[in-house]
Amino acid sequence: MMMSLTRRNFMKLVAAMGASAFLSAYKGDIVRAVEAKKDYWHICWLNGAACTGCTVSFAQASNPDLVQILTEIIVGTSGLPIALPDYMETIHPASGTLAEKLKERWKAGEKGKRILVVEGAVQKPGYCVVAGKDFREHVREAAEVADAIVAVGQCATFGGIPAANPNPTGAMGLSEFLREEGIAKPVINLPLCPVNGEHVVIILSAVIMGAKIDLDEHGRPKALFGTNMHDELCPYRPLYDRGVFIEEPGNGDGCRFKIGCKGPVAFTDCPSRRWNGKTSYCVEAGAPCIACSEPGWPDKFSPFYAELPSIPSFLGLNPTTLGAGIFGATAVGIGVHAVRRKLRGEKDEQDSY
Ligand code: SF4
Ligand code: SF4
């Protein structure tokens, strides 16, 4: 018999079942629980340095899908759906001055509690200006009044591609920016490139329901990012153990380790939730996992198609000062499990939301 969904067991069930199975099994309960809430949470979704892929991914959440989110799941007596942002540049019909007024009204908080969602990295002053005001100002003002803050995607969480070496615009993730600004509020980090739409739906629902969200030391919900992909979730693990590998990218019957899979150092539920209506995910599509769930991506995990033990950053070496011969010799004998242990040693419990 299925356990009934409560605020207390919400994230425990997510962790136990995986994001996709949880949403499929408990969609009706989520709808009822959210509908029973008295307060409508107002969402302001800001876009910084990014490709807008996270918005697209959110729009492709499959169960519930965006149409259901926007039309069927109504919060309390508000008449408003769960995730209809008061402000979201890419989907709301308003533009120009009218759109900015929506943002100002959200900040004024006349109507209720507020969730700030940030997509994209924050850069040095002058690189991202919206309506004549620096993105940094928009983020600072919104974060100061928000009751909950969610960073979606690798760029907003840890800086992502905009922050890659040599990072000419000084891009950084939201948590780092808020720390620099002296805004001491917890940020729920939902990395991946792009964010998974189902993760967004689950976390927005959890915030609205008042569920406790345990975070790891990188601000990621443990229920979604607390599992090592290679150890516990990957369907190719039996092949890894038997030493059956594919030698080049593509669909083949073999573990992807030799084409550079970073699954051994990636903490994420990608194999169980997959993408596009559970069709597939990176590894299943014949590519290596490139660990976009992790801080330090992409630099720390490059080159993407190199085997883990030969990646300089994991050996504590600087690739630019090493000759290939020295590097190859240094790498000999260092196994993937040692690399993973090193990473795991840095992974401790932290605060909860
Ligand atoms: S190396 Fe990658 S493909 Fe192979 S078992 Fe681990 S996670 Fe799966
Ligand atoms: S499988 Fe790896 S590369 Fe693909 S989305 Fe998940 S963490 Fe990122």
Side-chain angles (χ1 to χ4, degrees), residues 229-231 234-241 245 254-258 261-264 271 281 283 287-289:
M229 206 167 110
H230 171 84
D231 276 350
C234 183
Y236 297 92
R237 179 57 194 262
L239 295 169
Y240 173 92
D241 290 338
F245 301 99
C255 161
R256 280 55 171 143
F257 182 72
K258 287 196 173 173
C261 185
K262 312 297 181 293
Y281 76 108
V283 171
C289 166

Side-chain angles (χ1 to χ4, degrees), residues 29-245:
D29 296 67
I30 295 171
V31 172
R32 277 190 292 281
V34 170
E35 282 174 348
K37 292 293 293 179
K38 290 198 179 68
D39 302 325
Y40 181 74
W41 284 66
H42 292 265
I43 298 168
C44 176
W45 184 304
L46 298 180
N47 288 72
C51 66
T52 320
C54 294
T55 295
V56 174
S57 188
F58 175 50
Q60 288 176 339
S62 52
N63 194 12
D65 65 26
L66 191 64
V67 174
Q68 292 170 318
I69 291 167
L70 294 179
T71 59
E72 290 177 17
I73 308 180
I74 304 300
V75 181
T77 53
S78 68
L80 294 168
I82 175 175
L84 176 65
D86 288 31
Y87 180 91
M88 186 175 184
E89 286 161 15
T90 42
I91 70 165
H92 64 36
S95 61
T97 313
L98 181 56
E100 287 312 297
K101 276 190 184 150
L102 294 176
K103 199 189 289 169
E104 292 308 316
R105 276 172 53 194
W106 179 90
K107 280 194 280 187
E110 293 151 6
K111 294 184 285 184
K113 291 190 165 182
R114 287 159 290 187
I115 305 177
L116 169 64
V117 180
V118 175
E119 172 180 1
V122 185
Q123 298 158 294
K124 285 191 285 197
Y127 285 103
C128 180
V129 176
V130 180
K133 186 153 79 177
D134 201 286
F135 183 63
R136 297 165 68 92
E137 290 298 313
H138 287 288
V139 172
R140 187 185 304 117
E141 290 172 8
E144 272 166 353
V145 298
D147 297 289
I149 304 174
V150 184
V152 297
Q154 166 64 227
C155 304
T157 52
F158 307 129
I161 296 283
N165 188 37
N167 192 5
T169 69
M172 66 183 85
L174 178 64
S175 300
E176 190 181 345
F177 172 70
L178 295 185
R179 257 196 313 277
E180 279 187 7
E181 295 295 314
I183 298 174
K185 287 190 174 179
V187 175
I188 302 171
N189 277 333
L190 302 180
L192 300 184
C193 183
V195 74
N196 185 272
E198 294 186 353
H199 286 175
V200 181
V201 173
I202 284 172
I203 292 304
L204 292 181
S205 305
V207 169
I208 290 168
M209 281 181 65
K212 184 170 181 286
I213 304 172
D214 287 326
L215 305 178
D216 70 6
E217 78 274 27
H218 303 303
R220 303 175 296 190
K222 289 179 187 169
L224 306 173
F225 297 96
T227 313
N228 181 265
M229 206 167 110
H230 171 84
D231 276 350
E232 295 165 69
L233 294 173
C234 183
Y236 297 92
R237 179 57 194 262
L239 295 169
Y240 173 92
D241 290 338
R242 280 167 34 213
V244 181
F245 301 99

Side-chain angles (χ1 to χ4, degrees), residues 309-348:
S310 58
I311 293 184
S313 58
F314 279 99
L315 302 174
L317 303 172
N318 180 350
T320 58
T321 59
L322 286 168
I326 302 169
F327 170 60
T330 312
V332 169
I334 300 184
V336 63
H337 296 290
V339 175
R340 196 168 73 245
R341 273 199 301 278
K342 180 174 185 281
L343 195 85
R344 273 214 145 148
E346 297 163 5
K347 188 174 163 59
D348 291 316

